[in-house]
Amino acid sequence: AQSVTQLDSQVPVFEEAPVELRCNYSSSVSVYLFWYVQYPNQGLQLLLKYLSGSTLVKGINGFEAEFNKSQTSFHLRKPSVHISDTAEYFCAVKGPAAGNKLTFGGGTRVLVKP
Amino acid sequence: ETGVTQSPTHLIKTRGQQVTLRCSSQSGHNTVSWYQQALGQGPQFIFQYYREEENGRGNFPPRFSGLQFPNYSSELNVNALELDDSALYLCASSAGGSRTGELFFGEGSRLTVL
């Protein structure tokens, strides 16, 4: 079984400032890791994923994340945010044999201020 | 390419009633999964359908049931509704055998139980 903890429920940030969203997971097996974004009144959109290989993963909209196996973390970063990045962000994990069963964290709400 | 579509977008039911939610998967996708997202929380996996059979289930009681049709569309049925069933129900589709977990989500059906 896996679990995901997103350490910050809300992150206010000024426009053009950097942002980091923290995600820690626990699992007894190797996992795949994902970040999804949910804009108001919409479904989830995949930002990026880590399956294997390079621990630094680049995604859409200028986001990137770094997988750290020893710290069981997968933090999401963006060097300069825009107003349009205001949304809820979810970290998720999946075991290799879990089909479509993603385990999500509780989410981090990012509010970008002008 | 048609994305994942869900209906209805919003509905209100009373305790004890039954509800059916519908999902059309993205073109070419034969696997559908359903998630429940309570207010302020991350999505929780309900179950997955592949080739018209349930092949994975989360920690939800039997009153949550589903169907998948030959055209890969799907239904989620919930019987004997309880107040705690109030949530956003998300449908996600993927190509069969996708181990990468890249799910494509619909915008959800928001259910309110009074």
Side-chain angles (χ1 to χ4, degrees), chain A residues 68-84:
Chain A
N68 187 318
K69 188 174 182 179
S70 64
Q71 297 186 6
T72 61
S73 68
F74 190 53
H75 301 333
L76 180 71
R77 302 185 185 95
K78 185 170 182 177
S80 176
V81 296
H82 303 291
I83 296 289
S84 59

Side-chain angles (χ1 to χ4, degrees), chain B residues 9-63:
Chain B
T9 55
H10 296 80
L11 70 166
I12 300 174
K13 293 285 188 177
T14 57
R15 274 186 306 172
Q17 284 189 313
Q18 179 265 344
V19 68
T20 297
L21 308 178
R22 295 177 176 84
C23 171
S24 293
S25 60
Q26 182 159 316
S27 177
H29 288 180
N30 57 11
T31 303
V32 173
S33 49
W34 287 90
Y35 286 78
Q36 180 196 64
Q37 186 179 15
L39 196 62
Q41 297 182 23
Q44 286 195 297
F45 177 76
I46 303 175
F47 45 53
Q48 169 182 301
Y49 277 82
Y50 174 64
R51 292 185 175 178
E52 302 178 51
E53 296 211 358
E54 182 183 303
N55 74 341
R57 190 176 183 93
N59 189 26
F60 281 82
R63 61 189 184 84

Side-chain angles (χ1 to χ4, degrees), chain A residues 82-101:
Chain A
H82 303 291
I83 296 289
S84 59
D85 292 321
T86 294
E88 185 115 26
Y89 293 79
F90 293 96
C91 181
V93 303
K94 185 175 87 75
N100 281 353
K101 182 182 179 181

Side-chain angles (χ1 to χ4, degrees), chain A residues 32 34 36 38 41-46 49 51 90 94 96 98-107, chain B residues 31-33 35 37 40-43 45 48 57-58 88 90 94 98-103 105-107:
Chain A
Y32 303 133
F34 308 86
Y36 281 85
Q38 187 175 36
N41 300 315
Q42 293 189 25
L44 302 175
Q45 180 183 5
L46 181 67
K49 60 188 177 187
L51 304 179
F90 293 96
K94 185 175 87 75
N100 281 353
K101 182 182 179 181
L102 291 172
T103 300
F104 285 87
Chain B
T31 303
V32 173
S33 49
Y35 286 78
Q37 186 179 15
Q41 297 182 23
F45 177 76
Q48 169 182 301
R57 190 176 183 93
L88 180 69
L90 295 165
S94 67
S98 171
R99 67 179 181 90
T100 65
E102 183 156 3
L103 306 183
F105 284 84
E107 295 192 352

